[in-house]
Amino acid sequence: MIFSEHLLTVITFLPTLGALVLLLVGGKGEAVDNLARWIALAFTLVTAALSLWLWALFDPANTAFQFVENFDWIGDTIGYRMGVDGISVLFIPLTAVLMPAVVLTSWGSITKRVKEYLIVFLVLETFMIGAFATLDLALFYVFFEGTLIPMFLIIGIWGGARRIQATYKFFFYSFTGTVLMLLAIMAMFWQAGTLDIQQLLKFRFPPEVQTWLWIGFFASFAVKMPMWPFHRWLPEAHVEAPTGGSVILAAILLKLGGYGFIRFSISMFPDASHQFANFVFVLSIAAIIITSLIALVQTDMKKLIAYSSVAHMGFVTMGIFSGNIYGIHGAIFQMISHGIVSAALFLCVGVVYDRMHTREISAYGGLVERMPRYAFAFMVFTMANVGLPGTSGFIGEFLTMLAVFQVNTWVAFFAAFGVILSAAYALWLYRRVIFGALTKESLKGILDLDRREIAVLVPLVVLTILFGFYPAPILDATAASVNLVAENFANAIGAAPQAVAAAAGH
Amino acid sequence: MLSDVSSFASLAPAYPELLLAAGAVAVLLVSLFWKGVRSGVIATVAILLLVAVLALLVLQPATGALFNHTFIVDGFARYMKALVLGGAAATVLISLSGSKAHGIDKFEYSVLVLLATLGMMIMVSANDLMSLYIGLELQSLALYVVAAMKRDDAKATEAGIKYFVLGALSSGMLLYGASLVYGFTGTTQLDQIVAAITLESRSVGLVFGMVFLLAGIAFKISAVPFHMWTPDVYEGAPTPVTAFFAAAPKVAAMALFIRVTTVSFGPITKDWQQIVIFLSIASMVLASFAAIGQNNLKRLLAYSSIGHVGFALVGLSAGTAVGVEGVAIYMAIYVAMTVGIFACILALKTEDGAPVETITGLAGLAQRKPFVAASIAILMFSLIGLPPLAGFFAKWQVFLAAVEQGLFVLAVIGVLASAVSAFYYLRIIKVMYFDEPVAKYAAVPGELTVVMAGIGFLIVTYFVTVGAPLTAAAQAAAGSLF
């Protein structure tokens, strides 16, 4: 069927089409803003539906890339190449499903330049989906780096009081890291003679070259992820961004880093990944413990959740660089789960922020008396953030710790502290915001979730609990590809010492 | 000796130049004798002439060497000339509406622009140190006058004098270098110099001459450390003139630089490579930092153009066909972005007609003039080199060439410099989008809207529309030199 052959292209560029339609909407005023919101919602919903269809059509048993489109485009270097395998396929529905939620939040929280807001978000969606769907390294860079433009504007225009510093910091951390990856990409082109990811995955880079390429990619992904100590941009960006921006940043953009580690670092530079694994473990442990401790002392809700994101990403990097099947599987699961949970937590903060216009934890307390439904939703997501069994947060953390236990017991030992600490800061946040007596005058009139907010949060609650009890949809879709990645990694690092030994024997 | 010019038809490769020369003289005569003709009409005729020459150039595929091999037309020359003509025509077009306000509503302006363009075309086609110098001087002399055209303006006069004095100095260096090169190789013809050079037996005198020759040309592309005139001239000259300076002459000088290095000094690539790498790094780094403190838009764009020359030279540093292809693509995109950004600046006037030339004057532009602000924002993101905009693909090709040749230090410094340069480009976006508006702006002339929309469209859709054909054209152009 022709349509399904180009499904990835359609999903990727449909949001851009929506942005173009929005450009045609003229005029000002409440009615025009609402029209723009409905148009954006329609486009994001159709994209989401198509992305779920993609997931349905995806054959999990097949480890090759599917829905492949492949032709040369600019000269003999850059091609237009699309395709997904088990590693990337789930990130596309994740992105597409969260976007309608972002558009829905624009009703309550965005009042100025609404049309522009929706346009940049739709463009951003194209870049994000494109980055996961492309099979050309240069095109990956284009999509990956392209996200900076809309995000810079989102934080800078619709952000909070200190938005300018935050958006500059975000931009420069990301840009500086990513240009180094650009040079690594170019070096790969001259080494392998192609930018086609399918062929690059089969190409064996010499180990000493791998080291440099790995560093180039690491510079980019470690910032994006973000790994400690490259995380400094994240708390500020999160705090200042509007709710929709925080959601996308935490749920999708951070995942680009994790996806990149699996797709490129582990798969294309296995020797270097093995060599640097302990280094990554140290940074991951540092992220898990240090940022969890920092999260404990935060007074701003968004900042607390932002730091907890860094900590959770520590589990992801730890799992990926354990290099075994549980670790990579767990990392992907953790990323999907964190995508849902952190998005939901930021949406929850957005709900009370829209009412009270403050994110100070001390400004709240006893919300359960006025907002029972909100308290329930917030509880589910807090528990998932802690990693309580029965929520999606548990499975990823469990698998990554299981994986790293095989490789290095001490790393697993220290990572376990992260689980304890996350319970501490998340539950303490919940207690301070939701429980206690409702003494503050300003909170006496606060209203519970309205219909729109329920429509946003209920699907996320369902998904959080569903994947906690029944993770099979995610694990099945990824299993075969993860297996292949882990196998290749094991073969590569297993082969390397043998090659050295053989060379020494001569 | 006219032996190789047996008939008019044999001059076919030079038809575009002949048409432009005849046209420039005709325009001059008509405007001298037809009193009372409005300068706008002359300027329009000049644009049409430039477009006609461009059409002739494109439709007339004859190549070959003429005039005792002093004048060569190859794929590379045709590509670069197309850029020169396009840049020149576009910059005259965008200056139409503001010519009175900027004091250039004189017919001499159009004539001088035509003559300067003719000089550039000769530079691009020069295959001899003599024709090289003639083209360069024809261009420079016309530009000196244009820079100082607004005689009663102290800044413009200062700019003209500065440009003239430093330009004369650079011509002197170039001539000195040319004489040494001639002395040590026995020929002035660029493609014969190469036959007299071998890497093993090169003499110090030849390298010395080459350094001076390249220094002279480096003045014209304003590569650091020969850039001092650029910020002052850009700021002092009337904005339409600055726009003209920033686009076409840079392309012509860059083409000359490429031809001299790759054609004449091919065997001693290792020697000039060091020079180009130095120029490149110095330009990128200095421009990135020096531009941060600027508040005058034109001064900022001067540093920006210095930086972009540095990035283009990254491609030439590689000394390969891939590198020259990169420079060719880079210059095409650079011209488009330059024309676009100057169209935006020329479009901005406050309600009382004063031009907006400071960054702070752009505050809140996005709310008052969303279209202009969006155009500037797209151009700024493109100048930074962010994908998917055209500026990224320009940088892509030049850095690709540098990485191929293992010039990793240059490449790393280059990309980090581009990160620094992002700072000042982003500041403009910040001022336009994040700050609150203060000034009110006058309506934007129609032709500027068209130019902004057209260039904005090409830059945003580069990957889809022009990317593939432009790359193919640049590849063919570079191929004709190697």
Side-chain angles (χ1 to χ4, degrees):
Chain A
M1 201 165 87
I2 297 297
F3 184 68
S4 68
E5 276 172 23
H6 298 287
L7 189 54
L8 281 173
T9 300
V10 173
I11 294 176
T12 306
F13 291 100
L14 193 64
T16 305
L17 185 70
L20 292 176
V21 171
L22 282 182
L23 272 180
L24 301 176
V25 176
K28 279 193 163 62
E30 188 70 16
V32 176
D33 286 351
N34 276 331
L35 176 66
R37 287 173 176 130
W38 281 110
I39 294 174
L41 187 62
F43 272 94
T44 50
L45 281 174
V46 173
T47 312
L50 288 175
S51 75
L52 292 174
W53 192 38
L54 175 87
W55 189 4
L57 289 178
F58 180 79
D59 172 14
N62 184 354
T63 56
F65 285 94
Q66 301 174 39
F67 307 98
V68 173
E69 298 166 55
N70 188 346
F71 36 93
D72 287 337
W73 195 256
I74 290 184
D76 41 15
T77 49
I78 306 174
Y80 182 78
R81 304 187 175 95
M82 302 292 247
V84 285
D85 66 353
I87 308 292
S88 54
V89 68
L90 290 178
F91 292 105
I92 294 170
L94 176 69
T95 312
V97 167
L98 284 173
M99 278 305 293
V102 170
V103 173
L104 281 171
T105 62
S106 80
W107 255 280
S109 58
I110 302 296
T111 48
K112 60 167 192 178
R113 301 200 235 177
V114 176
K115 193 180 85 180
E116 288 83 349
Y117 179 82
L118 296 166
I119 290 174
V120 279
F121 262 107
L122 287 171
V123 172
L124 180 61
E125 185 179 7
T126 288
F127 288 144
M128 292 186 299
I129 295 178
F132 291 121
T134 185
L135 285 183
D136 184 277
L137 204 44
L139 211 52
F140 170 76
Y141 182 86
V142 167
F143 286 125
F144 185 87
E145 186 87 314
T147 58
L148 291 187
I149 298 176
M151 209 58 212
F152 175 79
L153 294 173
I154 289 167
I155 301 175
I157 298 178
W158 294 279
R162 287 161 47 79
R163 62 188 191 276
I164 289 165
Q165 195 192 343
T167 198
Y168 267 70
K169 231 179 187 170
F170 160 74
F171 187 93
F172 282 103
Y173 266 86
S174 307
F175 190 72
T176 313
T178 313
V179 288
L180 296 174
M181 175 172 83
L182 178 65
L183 296 181
I185 289 175
M186 292 171 173
M188 286 168 79
F189 174 73
W190 293 117
Q191 282 277 326
T194 178
L195 288 169
D196 185 344
I197 290 175
Q198 282 173 290
Q199 293 182 40
L200 286 169
L201 285 170
K202 295 184 192 119
F203 188 83
R204 195 92 165 86
F205 291 95
E208 63 280 6
V209 177
Q210 279 189 25
T211 306
W212 289 103
L213 297 177
W214 191 91
I215 292 172
F217 277 77
F218 180 78
S220 175
F221 297 145
V223 170
K224 192 61 98 182
M225 192 87 194
M227 293 180 72
W228 185 88
F230 308 105
H231 68 287
R232 303 278 306 262
W233 61 272
L234 182 90
E236 278 190 59
H238 267 313
V239 170
E240 298 306 326
T243 304
S246 299
V247 167
I248 290 302
L249 202 55
I252 315 296
L253 289 179
L254 305 193
K255 308 304 177 287
L256 281 171
Y259 167 71
F261 275 135
I262 300 176
R263 172 70 84 226
F264 304 107
S265 302
I266 282 278
S267 303
M268 293 182 190
F269 323 126
D271 300 333
S273 296
H274 185 58
Q275 185 190 334
F276 283 110
N278 284 332
F279 167 68
V280 174
F281 288 151
V282 169
L283 293 189
S284 305
I285 294 301
I288 292 171
I289 294 180
I290 296 176
T291 52
S292 294
L293 289 172
I294 298 173
L296 270 175
V297 297
Q298 294 308 314
T299 56
D300 183 304
M301 288 201 248
K302 265 187 161 179
K303 223 168 193 167
L304 191 149
I305 300 168
Y307 278 111
S308 97
S309 284
V310 181
H312 282 98
M313 289 300 109
F315 284 98
V316 173
T317 45
M318 188 179 84
I320 292 172
F321 283 90
S322 71
N324 60 40
I325 182 160
Y326 303 114
I328 300 171
H329 226 155
I332 293 180
F333 197 95
Q334 171 81 335
M335 284 196 275
I336 302 286
S337 156
H338 181 261
I340 299 168
V341 173
S342 66
L345 283 170
F346 280 115
L347 288 167
C348 285
V349 175
V351 166
V352 287
Y353 182 80
D354 287 346
R355 288 165 174 69
M356 305 304 300
H357 298 284
T358 175
R359 292 180 302 258
E360 286 297 313
I361 298 171
S362 55
Y364 297 95
L367 286 182
V368 67
E369 292 180 26
R370 293 277 313 168
M371 306 176 76
R373 282 181 290 201
Y374 177 75
F376 172 73
F378 200 23
M379 183 192 72
V380 171
F381 300 128
T382 302
M383 291 309 165
N385 202 27
V386 171
L388 190 76
T391 64
S392 64
F394 169 70
I395 292 160
E397 281 183 16
F398 177 74
L399 281 174
T400 51
M401 295 205 9
L402 188 70
V404 85
F405 194 82
Q406 281 192 337
V407 180
N408 189 330
T409 324
W410 283 108
V411 176
F413 173 75
F414 284 114
F417 279 102
V419 181
I420 301 168
L421 287 168
S422 77
Y425 62 71
L427 295 177
W428 195 32
L429 170 73
Y430 191 75
R431 197 201 70 80
R432 282 181 290 172
V433 173
I434 305 290
F435 292 144
L438 185 72
T439 50
K440 300 197 176 60
E441 234 9 81
S442 54
L443 296 176
K444 295 258 161 81
I446 198 164
L447 296 171
D448 204 354
L449 301 177
D450 62 20
R451 290 219 308 274
R452 176 178 60 81
E453 286 158 346
I454 290 172
V456 172
L457 289 176
V458 163
L460 298 176
V461 171
V462 172
L463 286 178
T464 306
I465 296 173
L466 175 73
F467 290 145
F469 281 102
Y470 183 62
I474 296 177
L475 294 179
D476 287 353
T478 52
S481 295
V482 168
N483 211 352
L484 185 71
V485 170
E487 214 168 87
N488 287 342
F489 182 73
N491 287 340
I493 60 168
Q498 282 164 18
V500 172
H506 279 289
Chain B
M1 201 168 78
L2 289 169
S3 57
D4 61 341
V5 186
S6 50
S7 69
F8 189 67
S10 68
L11 290 175
Y15 279 170
E17 281 81 0
L18 293 175
L19 176 64
L20 185 57
V25 174
V27 170
L28 176 62
L29 288 176
V30 167
S31 26
L32 272 179
F33 289 104
W34 184 5
K35 297 288 176 202
V37 63
R38 288 178 35 230
S39 66
V41 175
I42 300 292
T44 313
V45 171
I47 296 169
L48 293 176
L49 180 62
L50 288 169
V51 172
V53 175
L54 180 61
L56 185 62
L57 178 83
V58 174
L59 298 173
Q60 154 73 311
T63 54
L66 284 175
F67 313 123
N68 286 322
H69 287 272
T70 57
F71 183 89
I72 191 166
V73 178
D74 50 13
F76 179 74
R78 285 164 45 85
Y79 177 92
M80 288 295 182
K81 278 184 205 173
L83 287 188
V84 166
L85 287 166
T91 42
V92 179
L93 175 68
I94 60 174
S95 60
L96 270 183
S97 59
S99 61
K100 197 171 178 66
H102 291 283
I104 53 158
D105 54 337
K106 309 183 178 83
F107 71 84
E108 289 93 336
Y109 176 70
S110 304
V111 175
L112 286 167
V113 163
L114 290 176
L115 289 174
T117 311
L118 178 63
M120 293 173 215
M121 292 176 75
I122 295 174
M123 283 163 73
V124 171
S125 270
N127 190 36
D128 193 288
L129 292 173
M130 287 186 288
S131 54
L132 178 159
Y133 185 71
I134 290 171
L136 195 73
E137 284 305 288
L138 178 56
Q139 181 230 214
S140 303
L141 287 171
L143 292 185
Y144 299 147
V145 182
V146 169
M149 195 134 222
K150 210 171 163 187
R151 277 171 311 192
D152 47 1
D153 184 279
K155 267 194 167 176
T157 323
E158 184 192 330
I161 298 269
K162 260 191 185 143
Y163 192 27
F164 177 70
V165 172
L166 287 170
L169 178 68
S170 78
S171 294
M173 289 168 71
L174 187 133
L175 277 180
Y176 181 55
S179 68
L180 282 171
V181 169
Y182 172 63
F184 282 90
T185 58
T187 175
T188 57
Q189 196 174 313
L190 294 183
D191 52 10
Q192 298 216 332
I193 289 175
V194 66
I197 303 177
T198 54
L199 185 59
E200 293 74 35
S201 64
R202 68 191 191 281
S203 62
V204 179
L206 174 76
V207 175
F208 207 69
M210 180 188 74
V211 170
F212 272 92
L213 195 61
L214 295 187
I217 307 174
F219 255 105
K220 299 295 172 189
I221 54 173
S222 63
V224 177
F226 307 107
H227 66 289
M228 272 78 158
W229 59 274
T230 319
D232 292 334
V233 172
Y234 272 48
E235 188 190 357
T239 312
V241 176
T242 311
F244 183 71
F245 278 11
K250 288 272 162 68
V251 177
M254 187 60 89
L256 195 60
F257 204 109
I258 292 172
R259 193 182 284 283
V260 169
T261 48
T262 57
V263 171
S264 303
F265 299 114
I268 50 170
T269 300
K270 286 270 169 286
D271 288 324
W272 59 258
Q273 212 175 16
Q274 306 167 14
I275 303 174
V276 176
I277 291 174
F278 170 76
L279 292 176
S280 171
I281 291 179
S283 304
M284 291 186 295
V285 173
L286 183 127
S288 301
F289 285 99
I292 291 175
Q294 306 300 331
N295 187 37
N296 185 297
L297 269 174
K298 282 153 75 183
R299 251 188 125 71
L300 182 116
L301 286 173
Y303 283 109
S304 153
S305 84
I306 294 170
H308 282 282
V309 163
F311 286 114
L313 287 177
V314 170
L316 186 58
S317 302
T320 57
V322 180
V324 172
E325 179 193 337
V327 183
I329 296 173
Y330 205 103
M331 293 319 285
I333 295 171
Y334 167 78
V335 166
M337 294 192 296
T338 305
V339 170
I341 191 68
F342 276 101
C344 294
I345 294 178
L346 286 164
L348 288 178
K349 282 197 198 87
T350 53
E351 272 189 326
D352 48 4
V356 178
E357 288 183 356
T358 56
I359 294 176
T360 40
L362 298 174
L365 186 70
Q367 294 176 48
R368 290 282 154 79
K369 289 256 175 270
F371 176 73
V372 182
S375 302
I376 297 180
I378 287 170
L379 286 161
M380 288 299 143
F381 281 127
S382 179
L383 287 166
I384 295 172
L386 277 179
L389 306 173
F392 163 70
F393 293 94
K395 289 207 169 87
W396 165 263
Q397 192 73 26
V398 291
F399 281 106
L400 196 63
V403 169
E404 185 195 17
Q405 292 302 305
L407 303 171
F408 293 112
V409 175
L410 171 70
V412 169
I413 294 177
V415 293
L416 293 180
S418 84
V420 177
S421 77
F423 189 80
Y424 61 85
Y425 292 126
L426 287 181
R427 191 155 67 94
I428 294 180
I429 299 173
K430 177 227 146 199
V431 168
M432 290 189 308
Y433 278 87
F434 307 167
D435 291 357
E436 288 305 311
V438 277
K440 282 205 163 77
Y441 302 93
V444 178
E447 78 273 10
L448 290 179
T449 312
V450 172
V451 171
M452 283 187 275
I455 288 177
F457 175 78
L458 290 180
I459 284 177
V460 172
T461 62
Y462 178 88
F463 182 75
V464 186
T465 54
V466 278
L470 182 71
T471 308
Q475 202 166 9
S480 74
L481 285 186
F482 286 87

